[in-house]
Amino acid sequence: MKRVVLQPSGLGFDAEPEDDLLGAATRAGIAVPAACRNGVCELCSGRLLAGTAVNTRNQQKIPISEPLMLCRSRALTDLELEIDAVMAAGANQPRKFQAKVAD
């Protein structure tokens, strides 16, 4: 198991060797912006600050200071990533809205 710490929030989570980073963060209750889960939307983009990660598409290691997509990256060592706009579980309480579906 690898430890992943997100900066500047300081939030962290554990990732199993077979986990993509987005899935591991989601299981830990950390909300990372994402839409497509295959790297096309680039919403889950971050920057590798420390550690070794691999791109699951081409199995190449991601160099330090390079951008990575959490949905298609795995941790080979403990990681430190820079990614803005993340929230921990409970940081944003769910709200209920009433809606009427017209069509």
Side-chain angles (χ1 to χ4, degrees):
M1 187 169 305
K2 309 302 180 205
R3 186 73 180 159
V4 180
V5 177
L6 305 176
Q7 298 298 350
S9 69
L11 295 172
F13 60 92
D14 293 323
E16 296 289 340
E18 66 277 2
D19 288 341
D20 65 71
L21 297 175
L22 182 61
T26 301
R27 273 193 305 286
I30 297 173
V32 176
C36 66
R37 293 197 53 86
N38 69 9
V40 177
C41 71
E42 298 185 6
L43 289 177
C44 65
S45 178
R47 191 167 57 94
L48 184 61
L49 299 176
T52 305
V54 65
N55 183 316
T56 58
R57 291 255 173 130
N58 57 21
Q59 301 306 312
Q60 293 183 348
K61 290 183 181 176
I62 300 165
I64 297 291
S65 296
E66 289 295 313
L68 58 77
M69 301 299 133
L70 273 71
C71 66
R72 63 178 190 203
S73 299
R74 279 194 332 260
L76 298 179
T77 65
D78 290 349
L79 299 178
E80 186 173 350
L81 305 175
E82 180 180 60
I83 182 169
D84 295 323
V86 295
M87 267 190 238
N92 190 15
Q93 295 299 318
R95 296 181 290 174
K96 291 185 179 182
F97 294 96
Q98 189 173 26
K100 182 178 179 180
V101 178
D103 208 356

